[in-house]
Amino acid sequence: EVEIRDIWQELLDIPAGPDLETVAVAYECATNPVWPMPGAQDLLELLHTRGLALGIVSNAQFYTPILFESFFLQTLDQLGFDPGLSFFSYRHQRAKPGTWLYEQLRDVLATRQLTPAQVLYIGNDALKDIHPAASLGFRTALFAGDRRSLRLREDHGNLHPPDAVVTDLVQILELLA
């Protein structure tokens, strides 16, 4: 996995810092616009209120947490995400679909006396999310609520199927009942 600031620094030959990060964020926003799904903030608040531990395993860059703050006006911590259960590829120089990030999550969960079978991992990509998580024993749900982000990867064959498919975020609450 790459650290995008290193790439931009090499391409532009400018020092690391706010100017470089501004370029990286501006380019990302222009080429890969993203937005939260309808009901995302409500779901996160409900899960947090219920005391559920929330984590993230993501192919991400430094600006991913900033996007959450921009969309929800709260930090990941304030939204209820546990930093100990969050693994961003740029921080570890490892990416999905490899299992390394999921193995790190599994190991942290074990220190908390939790198994992957007790965790619902939700992702929108059958190859990069569902397959590696399921291969390590996580329960999985494929989020198919947005045609733009859904990646079925039917051309890859032999992928672990999700335990559930959800088309609306509210369905996640049903899976946790």
Side-chain angles (χ1 to χ4, degrees):
E1 176 68 326
V2 300
E3 214 299 0
I4 200 66
R5 290 175 286 200
D6 294 341
I7 302 298
W8 280 111
Q9 188 172 14
E10 186 175 321
L11 282 172
L12 300 177
D13 194 28
I14 61 175
D19 291 341
L20 184 79
E21 290 181 355
T22 299
V23 168
V25 170
Y27 181 82
E28 181 66 17
C29 290
T31 60
N32 185 30
V34 295
W35 53 88
M37 291 303 301
Q41 186 159 9
D42 293 338
L43 175 66
L44 291 173
E45 288 173 7
L46 275 169
L47 296 174
H48 185 54
T49 300
R50 290 185 182 184
L52 294 174
L54 303 177
I56 299 175
V57 176
S58 178
N59 283 348
Q61 290 295 327
F62 75 93
Y63 42 74
T64 301
I66 297 168
L67 288 173
F68 277 85
E69 290 179 45
S70 175
F71 292 143
F72 302 119
L73 304 178
Q74 296 179 69
T75 65
L76 287 173
D77 289 350
Q78 291 168 327
L79 289 167
F81 287 96
D82 183 331
L85 300 176
S86 297
F87 297 89
F88 296 104
S89 59
Y90 81 97
R91 290 182 182 159
H92 301 283
Q93 301 293 291
R94 296 292 196 65
K96 303 181 299 180
T99 60
W100 190 87
L101 295 169
Y102 296 97
E103 290 166 359
Q104 303 316 297
L105 175 59
R106 179 197 59 200
D107 294 348
V108 171
L109 291 168
T111 68
R112 299 177 185 198
Q113 288 72 50
L114 293 170
T115 67
Q118 294 172 282
V119 173
L120 178 62
Y121 183 84
I122 304 160
N124 67 309
D125 189 314
L127 173 65
K128 293 182 179 180
D129 295 320
I130 303 306
H131 182 73
S135 73
L136 293 175
F138 288 90
R139 291 183 332 154
T140 59
L142 180 65
F143 180 66
D146 181 329
R147 202 177 319 188
R148 180 179 176 270
S149 63
L150 175 64
R151 291 179 176 70
L152 291 174
R153 311 289 184 150
E154 294 170 320
D155 56 330
H156 277 78
N158 293 331
L159 295 178
H160 285 276
D163 295 303
V165 176
V166 296
T167 57
D168 189 299
L169 292 177
V170 74
Q171 294 170 305
I172 293 168
L173 295 173
E174 297 166 11
L175 295 173
L176 297 172

